[in-house]
Amino acid sequence: MRLVKNKIEYNGAGSVTLIPEEPEDMWHAYNLIVPGDVLYATAIRRVTTTGTTGSTSSSRVRLTLEIRVKSLDFDPQNSQLHVSGQIMNETPHTKIGQHHTLDLELNRQFTLEKGSGPDGEGSGWDSVAVEALKDAVDEGGNRRAEAVAVVMQEGLAHICFIGQHRTILKQKVEMSVPRKRAGGSDHDKTMTKFYQTTLDTLLRHLEFNTSATSMSTSDPIRPVLLASPGFIATSFQKHIQSVANTSTPALKRLLPSIVVVHSASGYLHSLTEVLQSPTVKALLSDTKHARETKLMDDFNEQLRKETNRATYGPREVEHAVDQGAVGRGGGVLIISNRLFRAQDVAERKSYIDTATRYPTP
């Protein structure tokens, strides 16, 4: 996410202008925008006009709309964000109070305004919103995908990009593979075709330069995790090596980045098992996913050993925080991000106050 303009005031009111550049940026936008905010963005709206003879015609026009956010719909599979609300600015084609859904798009800027104080709605740019903004802004491209994972089995491969905050399924490769038969070669030929199709798809999403001149480049290559049951991933690695030694020498730059790990299947849910592998954990130790996974593992282990040390429920947790159990007391406060998105402003503020009352480890 690129930050174009920052106009956040000291009292927590103000606005920022952002440009989403990666599919993961839609996830960050979803975390930033909450009901009650004001959103400015371009939109395509169908407009119906009535002629002097009574005939009607409809057309699609591009407008810049300002809406008061009422609800959000995030599609994680396609990284699409739809924001619904009431229109606040009048145009020749819209009236104040009408409802509209803005579809945020990649490489199209939008402005998000949060109000604070007696004249503003919402909780403004509180500490949670500011932290979400810091997470969203990609300074110098340092928050691109940390690694690429190919979870596969015979005739099936899922290509995923593992980012700092979430994992995105880029493409699914599927091909019918005949069974092995004595004296037959159809199975091996189909598997070779499957490997090549998967490799072509992977290189396209990596935007990997396969020209001969790319051999001299020093651009870093993200780790590529190949995971499968049995020896499918190993065979795919050998296929890449074969292609690199014969037709595409530039692929030799990719070979040192390949890591083969085991998975129970080639389906997407097996990616969880891949990320739990000690090899992958060491490789992705600096990502937010790895840090949060370790925190939850430590929490579950502590809970297993000493059940009585955990406190549940809003009232009980607030009381424990007031008693100094968090921060200096050595305790850890875990709050679901969903509570920070509560539509009730007072409820949202209470959880934010609880989270920021004491610094957590």
Side-chain angles (χ1 to χ4, degrees):
M1 189 95 73
R2 179 150 52 94
L3 179 63
V4 178
K5 192 179 298 182
N6 187 339
K7 290 186 176 180
I8 300 178
E9 306 294 340
Y10 289 109
N11 63 353
S15 64
V16 294
T17 300
L18 301 164
I19 299 179
E21 298 176 312
E22 296 282 326
E24 186 173 345
D25 290 340
M26 292 303 177
W27 165 250
H28 291 299
Y30 173 71
N31 286 326
L32 278 172
I33 304 170
V34 296
D37 292 346
V38 176
L39 184 66
Y40 305 80
T42 57
I44 302 294
R45 187 175 176 90
R46 183 177 293 277
V47 177
T48 302
T49 56
T50 304
T52 55
T53 60
S55 61
T56 60
S57 62
S58 63
S59 60
R60 297 170 67 87
V61 295
R62 182 175 292 275
L63 306 168
T64 299
L65 294 180
E66 172 189 355
I67 68 169
R68 174 77 66 182
V69 178
K70 296 297 182 183
S71 63
L72 298 94
D73 179 28
F74 178 65
D75 181 0
Q77 187 70 29
N78 299 309
S79 294
Q80 295 178 346
L81 179 59
H82 313 288
V83 186
S84 301
Q86 285 185 304
I87 297 174
M88 298 182 63
N89 63 324
E90 189 167 350
T91 72
H93 305 288
T94 61
K95 295 181 180 179
I96 295 176
Q98 288 182 319
H99 286 266
H100 186 83
T101 299
L102 290 173
D103 299 324
L104 299 189
E105 301 176 4
L106 293 179
N107 300 312
R108 289 192 182 276
Q109 74 176 31
F110 66 89
T111 299
L112 176 64
E113 181 180 340
K114 291 179 179 287
S116 180
D119 297 329
E121 294 187 21
S123 55
W125 289 96
D126 50 48
S127 59
V128 173
V130 171
E131 189 64 29
L133 179 62
K134 290 179 181 178
D135 285 340
V137 175
D138 186 2
E139 299 171 350
N142 295 323
R143 298 179 184 176
R144 306 293 184 185
E146 297 293 320
V148 179
V150 183
V151 186
M152 59 196 311
Q153 63 185 40
E154 279 196 1
L156 179 66
H158 293 87
I159 299 174
C160 308
F161 277 27
I162 303 170
Q164 280 277 356
H165 302 273
R166 59 187 292 258
T167 299
I168 301 172
L169 173 64
K170 300 299 287 188
Q171 193 157 340
K172 176 182 177 181
V173 180
E174 198 166 10
M175 188 177 296
S176 178
V177 179
R179 293 184 178 181
K180 282 187 176 181
R181 289 184 174 85
S185 60
D186 290 346
H187 177 272
D188 294 338
K189 288 181 179 179
T190 305
M191 285 302 296
T192 301
K193 183 179 179 182
F194 167 67
Y195 289 146
Q196 187 58 45
T197 302
T198 304
L199 176 59
D200 292 340
T201 306
L202 174 63
L203 295 178
R204 184 172 69 252
H205 286 293
L206 282 174
E207 298 180 354
F208 189 86
N209 187 358
T210 57
S211 64
T213 57
S214 67
M215 291 291 292
S216 59
T217 183
S218 59
D219 294 340
I221 299 176
R222 289 165 288 193
V224 178
L225 313 177
L226 306 182
S228 75
F231 300 98
I232 302 298
T234 303
S235 299
F236 183 44
Q237 182 186 29
K238 291 180 179 178
H239 176 80
I240 298 175
Q241 291 173 338
S242 175
V243 174
N245 292 329
T246 54
S247 59
T248 315
L251 280 179
K252 292 179 180 179
R253 293 194 299 115
L254 183 65
L255 295 177
S257 303
I258 296 177
V259 178
V260 177
V261 293
H262 177 269
S263 67
S265 73
Y267 290 96
L268 196 58
H269 61 78
S270 293
L271 184 60
T272 303
E273 176 190 355
V274 174
L275 295 177
Q276 292 295 325
S277 165
T279 304
V280 177
K281 279 186 175 181
L283 197 64
L284 305 178
S285 58
D286 291 334
T287 63
K288 184 176 181 180
H289 173 272
R291 293 193 297 270
E292 291 183 347
T293 300
K294 184 180 184 305
L295 181 63
M296 290 305 300
D297 288 344
D298 293 343
F299 169 74
N300 290 327
E301 179 65 19
Q302 187 72 29
L303 189 62
R304 185 182 65 82
K305 292 179 179 178
E306 300 179 75
T307 308
N308 295 330
R309 292 188 62 178
T311 301
Y312 304 92
R315 186 177 302 174
E316 291 78 3
V317 169
E318 286 185 12
H319 179 70
V321 171
D322 290 337
Q323 296 299 314
V326 176
R328 294 179 182 177
V332 176
L333 178 64
I334 301 177
I335 297 182
S336 170
N337 191 58
R338 179 178 58 84
L339 300 177
F340 293 141
R341 302 183 56 80
Q343 295 200 18
D344 184 86
V345 176
E347 181 184 0
R348 189 160 69 237
K349 282 184 176 180
S350 70
Y351 288 120
I352 292 172
D353 290 342
T354 302
T356 56
R357 198 173 305 168
Y358 293 101
T360 56

